[in-house]
Amino acid sequence: LTKKNKGQLSDLMAIDKQKGLKALSREKREKLEAYQHLFYLLQTQPVYLAKLIFQMPQNRSTKFMDSVIFSLYNYAANPREGYLLLRLFTTALREEIKSKVDQVREIVTGNPTVTKLVVSFYRHVRGQNALREILGPVVGEVLRDKSL
């Protein structure tokens, strides 16, 4: 989001707490609803953000994209947002493989953008907890399976 849009959204949110959303003018309420629809669409349709990740210059985009994406998904604070963030990671990884990877080993030997994004997320405490909850049972099954 641009700084201008961020400022507009901040202005919309600076309303009288007592009156709530009723204090907004019709124009501001429509703008707020448009932002709500935009954020909902970006969360539930990961293909848009997945394509955007690769349009950003790779040398400067990491911290910016991290902050935008993680805040959009509220750092996976609840199961819904965690699920939607995982869908974004999956879609973005597929997009990256389709557009940049010629050989399978490039995923491991290269420096894929999505992998950096996933690692960055899971280095945070919330990410570690989410990763433990998601992968813990699966890793446990693999470790217990003597045939593997």
Side-chain angles (χ1 to χ4, degrees):
L1 296 173
T2 64
K3 289 182 182 181
K4 179 183 174 188
N5 288 345
K6 183 179 177 184
Q8 289 176 345
L9 189 57
S10 295
D11 291 344
L12 288 174
M13 298 313 295
I15 57 175
D16 185 7
K17 298 283 185 197
Q18 298 294 330
K19 296 180 184 175
L21 294 177
K22 293 179 182 179
L24 291 175
S25 67
R26 181 176 182 207
E27 178 186 331
K28 287 186 177 185
R29 196 172 317 119
E30 287 173 356
K31 215 178 253 191
L32 179 62
E33 287 176 11
Y35 277 114
Q36 288 172 336
H37 290 294
L38 172 66
F39 294 145
Y40 177 80
L41 181 71
L42 289 174
Q43 280 186 332
T44 59
Q45 301 296 319
V47 69
Y48 297 115
L49 281 176
K51 290 182 184 281
L52 177 66
I53 289 170
F54 303 110
Q55 298 303 316
M56 298 289 294
Q58 296 305 309
N59 56 349
R60 296 182 298 155
S61 66
T62 306
K63 290 188 183 220
F64 174 73
M65 288 303 292
D66 286 359
S67 65
V68 169
I69 290 172
F70 299 155
S71 62
L72 180 64
Y73 290 93
N74 196 23
Y75 290 86
N78 63 46
R80 176 189 179 273
E81 291 163 342
Y83 169 76
L84 292 172
L85 183 60
L86 285 175
R87 279 190 51 211
L88 171 65
F89 290 157
T90 303
T91 304
L93 188 57
R94 284 186 180 136
E95 188 69 31
E96 187 166 24
I97 289 170
K98 188 169 40 172
S99 66
K100 293 184 176 181
V101 175
D102 295 324
Q103 297 177 355
V104 175
R105 72 172 180 238
E106 291 177 5
I107 295 172
V108 177
T109 60
N111 198 7
T113 305
V114 177
T115 304
K116 289 189 286 188
L117 189 66
V118 171
V119 168
S120 174
F121 176 73
Y122 287 109
R123 282 188 176 155
H124 292 85
V125 175
R126 287 183 182 170
Q128 290 174 358
N129 291 338
L131 188 61
R132 192 175 297 116
E133 289 173 14
I134 293 167
L135 295 179
V138 177
V139 170
E141 285 180 35
V142 169
L143 291 174
R144 286 188 296 274
D145 190 348
K146 300 298 181 194
S147 66
L148 296 176

